[in-house]
Tab-separated table of all heavy atoms in Angstrom:
chain	number	residue	atom	x	y	z
A	1	ALA	N	-24.242	20.783	17.314
A	1	ALA	CA	-23.961	22.009	16.565
A	1	ALA	C	-23.624	23.162	17.498
A	1	ALA	O	-22.691	23.932	17.250
A	1	ALA	CB	-25.148	22.362	15.679
A	2	ALA	N	-24.374	23.281	18.609
A	2	ALA	CA	-24.135	24.365	19.560
A	2	ALA	C	-22.792	24.191	20.255
A	2	ALA	O	-22.045	25.158	20.452
A	2	ALA	CB	-25.259	24.419	20.587
A	3	ALA	N	-22.465	22.958	20.642
A	3	ALA	CA	-21.188	22.701	21.307
A	3	ALA	C	-20.025	22.942	20.351
A	3	ALA	O	-18.987	23.492	20.746
A	3	ALA	CB	-21.155	21.274	21.839
A	4	ALA	N	-20.195	22.540	19.097
A	4	ALA	CA	-19.138	22.764	18.104
A	4	ALA	C	-18.911	24.255	17.895
A	4	ALA	O	-17.767	24.720	17.805
A	4	ALA	CB	-19.507	22.085	16.790
A	5	GLN	N	-19.996	25.008	17.824
A	5	GLN	CA	-19.890	26.463	17.655
A	5	GLN	C	-19.212	27.095	18.876
A	5	GLN	O	-18.392	28.016	18.736
A	5	GLN	CB	-21.271	27.063	17.449
A	5	GLN	CG	-21.252	28.569	17.190
A	5	GLN	CD	-22.640	29.127	16.941
A	5	GLN	OE1	-23.649	28.526	17.317
A	5	GLN	NE2	-22.722	30.272	16.285
A	6	ARG	N	-19.538	26.599	20.058
A	6	ARG	CA	-18.928	27.123	21.277
A	6	ARG	C	-17.413	26.934	21.270
A	6	ARG	O	-16.656	27.780	21.749
A	6	ARG	CB	-19.534	26.414	22.489
A	6	ARG	CG	-18.939	26.860	23.838
A	6	ARG	CD	-19.355	28.279	24.143
A	6	ARG	NE	-18.893	28.692	25.468
A	6	ARG	CZ	-17.710	29.245	25.717
A	6	ARG	NH1	-16.856	29.476	24.724
A	6	ARG	NH2	-17.375	29.591	26.943
A	7	LEU	N	-16.978	25.816	20.698
A	7	LEU	CA	-15.552	25.503	20.637
A	7	LEU	C	-14.862	26.132	19.431
A	7	LEU	O	-13.634	26.165	19.373
A	7	LEU	CB	-15.359	23.980	20.599
A	7	LEU	CG	-15.704	23.218	21.884
A	7	LEU	CD1	-15.870	21.729	21.586
A	7	LEU	CD2	-14.629	23.431	22.933
A	8	GLY	N	-15.677	26.589	18.468
A	8	GLY	CA	-15.104	27.122	17.241
A	8	GLY	C	-14.616	26.042	16.300
A	8	GLY	O	-13.726	26.271	15.473
A	9	TRP	N	-15.219	24.848	16.413
A	9	TRP	CA	-14.837	23.717	15.565
A	9	TRP	C	-15.884	23.508	14.477
A	9	TRP	O	-17.076	23.780	14.687
A	9	TRP	CB	-14.766	22.427	16.373
A	9	TRP	CG	-13.744	22.387	17.454
A	9	TRP	CD1	-12.756	23.298	17.706
A	9	TRP	CD2	-13.638	21.378	18.461
A	9	TRP	NE1	-12.027	22.911	18.794
A	9	TRP	CE2	-12.537	21.737	19.283
A	9	TRP	CE3	-14.333	20.203	18.741
A	9	TRP	CZ2	-12.135	20.961	20.365
A	9	TRP	CZ3	-13.941	19.429	19.816
A	9	TRP	CH2	-12.857	19.807	20.621
A	10	PRO	N	-15.484	22.955	13.334
A	10	PRO	CA	-16.478	22.494	12.359
A	10	PRO	C	-17.283	21.350	12.974
A	10	PRO	O	-16.756	20.590	13.805
A	10	PRO	CB	-15.629	21.993	11.181
A	10	PRO	CG	-14.300	22.655	11.360
A	10	PRO	CD	-14.100	22.796	12.834
A	11	LEU	N	-18.528	21.221	12.581
A	11	LEU	CA	-19.370	20.168	13.146
A	11	LEU	C	-18.788	18.786	12.876
A	11	LEU	O	-18.869	17.885	13.732
A	11	LEU	CB	-20.785	20.266	12.565
A	11	LEU	CG	-21.807	19.240	13.078
A	11	LEU	CD1	-21.934	19.323	14.603
A	11	LEU	CD2	-23.160	19.462	12.418
A	12	THR	N	-18.194	18.605	11.705
A	12	THR	CA	-17.601	17.299	11.382
A	12	THR	C	-16.470	16.959	12.357
A	12	THR	O	-16.320	15.806	12.767
A	12	THR	CB	-17.071	17.282	9.942
A	12	THR	OG1	-16.198	18.417	9.749
A	12	THR	CG2	-18.221	17.352	8.945
A	13	THR	N	-15.680	17.956	12.727
A	13	THR	CA	-14.598	17.736	13.689
A	13	THR	C	-15.159	17.363	15.051
A	13	THR	O	-14.670	16.430	15.715
A	13	THR	CB	-13.730	19.001	13.823
A	13	THR	OG1	-13.141	19.303	12.558
A	13	THR	CG2	-12.628	18.813	14.849
A	14	PHE	N	-16.189	18.086	15.472
A	14	PHE	CA	-16.807	17.792	16.769
A	14	PHE	C	-17.345	16.367	16.793
A	14	PHE	O	-17.119	15.624	17.751
A	14	PHE	CB	-17.932	18.785	17.053
A	14	PHE	CG	-18.633	18.536	18.361
A	14	PHE	CD1	-18.190	19.146	19.531
A	14	PHE	CD2	-19.732	17.689	18.434
A	14	PHE	CE1	-18.812	18.910	20.743
A	14	PHE	CE2	-20.373	17.443	19.640
A	14	PHE	CZ	-19.908	18.055	20.797
A	15	ASN	N	-18.086	15.972	15.758
A	15	ASN	CA	-18.683	14.636	15.732
A	15	ASN	C	-17.621	13.545	15.729
A	15	ASN	O	-17.796	12.491	16.359
A	15	ASN	CB	-19.590	14.491	14.509
A	15	ASN	CG	-20.888	15.254	14.660
A	15	ASN	OD1	-21.355	15.491	15.782
A	15	ASN	ND2	-21.486	15.656	13.547
A	16	ARG	N	-16.513	13.783	15.028
A	16	ARG	CA	-15.437	12.786	15.002
A	16	ARG	C	-14.823	12.633	16.392
A	16	ARG	O	-14.586	11.523	16.872
A	16	ARG	CB	-14.364	13.185	13.996
A	16	ARG	CG	-13.245	12.140	13.859
A	16	ARG	CD	-12.207	12.540	12.829
A	16	ARG	NE	-11.420	13.682	13.287
A	16	ARG	CZ	-11.513	14.907	12.785
A	16	ARG	NH1	-12.388	15.171	11.828
A	16	ARG	NH2	-10.751	15.888	13.262
A	17	LYS	N	-14.584	13.755	17.055
A	17	LYS	CA	-14.003	13.696	18.395
A	17	LYS	C	-14.998	13.112	19.403
A	17	LYS	O	-14.609	12.403	20.337
A	17	LYS	CB	-13.557	15.099	18.832
A	17	LYS	CG	-12.354	15.632	18.059
A	17	LYS	CD	-11.938	16.996	18.570
A	17	LYS	CE	-10.752	17.540	17.771
A	17	LYS	NZ	-9.526	16.743	18.025
A	18	LEU	N	-16.275	13.404	19.205
A	18	LEU	CA	-17.299	12.820	20.073
A	18	LEU	C	-17.306	11.301	19.941
A	18	LEU	O	-17.398	10.571	20.945
A	18	LEU	CB	-18.669	13.391	19.720
A	18	LEU	CG	-19.866	12.837	20.510
A	18	LEU	CD1	-19.725	13.141	22.005
A	18	LEU	CD2	-21.176	13.434	19.974
A	19	ASP	N	-17.199	10.815	18.712
A	19	ASP	CA	-17.121	9.365	18.486
A	19	ASP	C	-15.926	8.774	19.218
A	19	ASP	O	-16.029	7.712	19.858
A	19	ASP	CB	-17.012	9.055	16.991
A	19	ASP	CG	-18.314	9.300	16.236
A	19	ASP	OD1	-19.382	9.307	16.883
A	19	ASP	OD2	-18.253	9.484	15.011
A	20	ASN	N	-14.785	9.453	19.131
A	20	ASN	CA	-13.571	8.946	19.772
A	20	ASN	C	-13.718	8.892	21.291
A	20	ASN	O	-13.297	7.923	21.934
A	20	ASN	CB	-12.372	9.824	19.395
A	20	ASN	CG	-11.994	9.697	17.925
A	20	ASN	OD1	-12.326	8.698	17.279
A	20	ASN	ND2	-11.325	10.696	17.386
A	21	VAL	N	-14.299	9.953	21.867
A	21	VAL	CA	-14.479	9.989	23.319
A	21	VAL	C	-15.441	8.898	23.768
A	21	VAL	O	-15.190	8.184	24.750
A	21	VAL	CB	-14.994	11.376	23.765
A	21	VAL	CG1	-15.380	11.354	25.247
A	21	VAL	CG2	-13.925	12.439	23.533
A	22	CYS	N	-16.556	8.749	23.059
A	22	CYS	CA	-17.535	7.726	23.422
A	22	CYS	C	-16.939	6.331	23.299
A	22	CYS	O	-17.163	5.466	24.160
A	22	CYS	CB	-18.785	7.847	22.545
A	22	CYS	SG	-19.815	9.280	22.920
A	23	ASP	N	-16.166	6.077	22.238
A	23	ASP	CA	-15.525	4.771	22.065
A	23	ASP	C	-14.552	4.498	23.204
A	23	ASP	O	-14.457	3.371	23.710
A	23	ASP	CB	-14.785	4.714	20.727
A	23	ASP	CG	-15.725	4.636	19.536
A	23	ASP	OD1	-16.910	4.317	19.752
A	23	ASP	OD2	-15.272	4.903	18.403
A	24	LYS	N	-13.827	5.520	23.619
A	24	LYS	CA	-12.841	5.362	24.689
A	24	LYS	C	-13.518	4.969	26.001
A	24	LYS	O	-13.081	4.033	26.685
A	24	LYS	CB	-12.047	6.657	24.860
A	24	LYS	CG	-10.995	6.612	25.950
A	24	LYS	CD	-10.162	7.886	25.966
A	24	LYS	CE	-9.232	7.960	24.772
A	24	LYS	NZ	-8.261	9.084	24.869
A	25	PHE	N	-14.595	5.657	26.360
A	25	PHE	CA	-15.281	5.328	27.609
A	25	PHE	C	-16.045	4.012	27.501
A	25	PHE	O	-16.158	3.276	28.486
A	25	PHE	CB	-16.229	6.460	28.007
A	25	PHE	CG	-15.538	7.657	28.586
A	25	PHE	CD1	-15.603	8.885	27.959
A	25	PHE	CD2	-14.801	7.549	29.753
A	25	PHE	CE1	-14.952	9.992	28.482
A	25	PHE	CE2	-14.145	8.644	30.291
A	25	PHE	CZ	-14.218	9.871	29.652
A	26	ASP	N	-16.555	3.707	26.315
A	26	ASP	CA	-17.248	2.444	26.123
A	26	ASP	C	-16.301	1.274	26.377
A	26	ASP	O	-16.677	0.270	26.995
A	26	ASP	CB	-17.820	2.366	24.699
A	26	ASP	CG	-18.511	1.035	24.428
A	26	ASP	OD1	-19.611	0.814	24.972
A	26	ASP	OD2	-17.934	0.209	23.682
A	27	ARG	N	-15.066	1.390	25.921
A	27	ARG	CA	-14.083	0.332	26.155
A	27	ARG	C	-13.759	0.175	27.634
A	27	ARG	O	-13.354	-0.901	28.078
A	27	ARG	CB	-12.800	0.620	25.371
A	27	ARG	CG	-12.930	0.448	23.862
A	27	ARG	CD	-11.577	0.431	23.189
A	27	ARG	NE	-10.863	1.683	23.350
A	27	ARG	CZ	-10.948	2.705	22.493
A	27	ARG	NH1	-11.724	2.612	21.424
A	27	ARG	NH2	-10.260	3.815	22.709
A	28	GLU	N	-13.951	1.253	28.394
A	28	GLU	CA	-13.690	1.205	29.833
A	28	GLU	C	-14.914	0.734	30.628
A	28	GLU	O	-14.873	0.681	31.854
A	28	GLU	CB	-13.255	2.580	30.335
A	28	GLU	CG	-11.905	3.024	29.819
A	28	GLU	CD	-10.776	2.141	30.319
A	28	GLU	OE1	-10.865	1.681	31.477
A	28	GLU	OE2	-9.825	1.899	29.549
A	29	GLY	N	-16.004	0.436	29.925
A	29	GLY	CA	-17.176	-0.118	30.594
A	29	GLY	C	-18.288	0.854	30.908
A	29	GLY	O	-19.253	0.496	31.587
A	30	VAL	N	-18.189	2.102	30.433
A	30	VAL	CA	-19.264	3.061	30.659
A	30	VAL	C	-20.430	2.704	29.739
A	30	VAL	O	-20.268	2.612	28.522
A	30	VAL	CB	-18.792	4.506	30.387
A	30	VAL	CG1	-19.939	5.487	30.626
A	30	VAL	CG2	-17.608	4.846	31.275
A	31	GLN	N	-21.601	2.530	30.321
A	31	GLN	CA	-22.763	2.097	29.560
A	31	GLN	C	-23.457	3.262	28.853
A	31	GLN	O	-23.380	4.404	29.283
A	31	GLN	CB	-23.763	1.412	30.493
A	31	GLN	CG	-23.215	0.214	31.232
A	31	GLN	CD	-24.219	-0.362	32.204
A	31	GLN	OE1	-25.419	-0.453	31.920
A	31	GLN	NE2	-23.747	-0.753	33.380
A	32	GLY	N	-24.149	2.928	27.747
A	32	GLY	CA	-25.004	3.903	27.075
A	32	GLY	C	-24.327	4.775	26.047
A	32	GLY	O	-24.933	5.726	25.550
A	33	LEU	N	-23.069	4.476	25.680
A	33	LEU	CA	-22.339	5.327	24.730
A	33	LEU	C	-22.159	4.674	23.371
A	33	LEU	O	-21.674	5.315	22.446
A	33	LEU	CB	-20.959	5.679	25.297
A	33	LEU	CG	-20.965	6.483	26.597
A	33	LEU	CD1	-19.545	6.724	27.068
A	33	LEU	CD2	-21.691	7.804	26.412
A	34	ARG	N	-22.525	3.426	23.257
A	34	ARG	CA	-22.357	2.729	21.982
A	34	ARG	C	-23.491	3.082	21.042
A	34	ARG	O	-24.658	3.068	21.439
A	34	ARG	CB	-22.290	1.221	22.209
A	34	ARG	CG	-22.050	0.411	20.925
A	34	ARG	CD	-22.018	-1.074	21.217
A	34	ARG	NE	-20.881	-1.424	22.065
A	34	ARG	CZ	-19.651	-1.621	21.610
A	34	ARG	NH1	-19.395	-1.488	20.317
A	34	ARG	NH2	-18.677	-1.953	22.435
């Protein structure tokens, strides 16, 4: 919520983008994001 507010994004937008970023790094082998 704090990060979304800092960016001026709705929380739903932030969470969706967070999911996308975590999925991207998870596919590259970064552990702990799934």
Side-chain angles (χ1 to χ4, degrees):
Q5 183 178 21
R6 178 69 175 88
L7 291 163
W9 297 351
L11 181 57
T12 52
T13 299
F14 179 90
N15 286 334
R16 183 179 69 251
K17 291 182 181 292
L18 178 62
D19 288 338
N20 292 338
V21 172
C22 288
D23 288 344
K24 180 174 289 189
F25 284 117
D26 178 72
R27 289 193 297 269
E28 292 295 325
V30 180
Q31 302 176 40
L33 298 178
R34 183 181 295 278

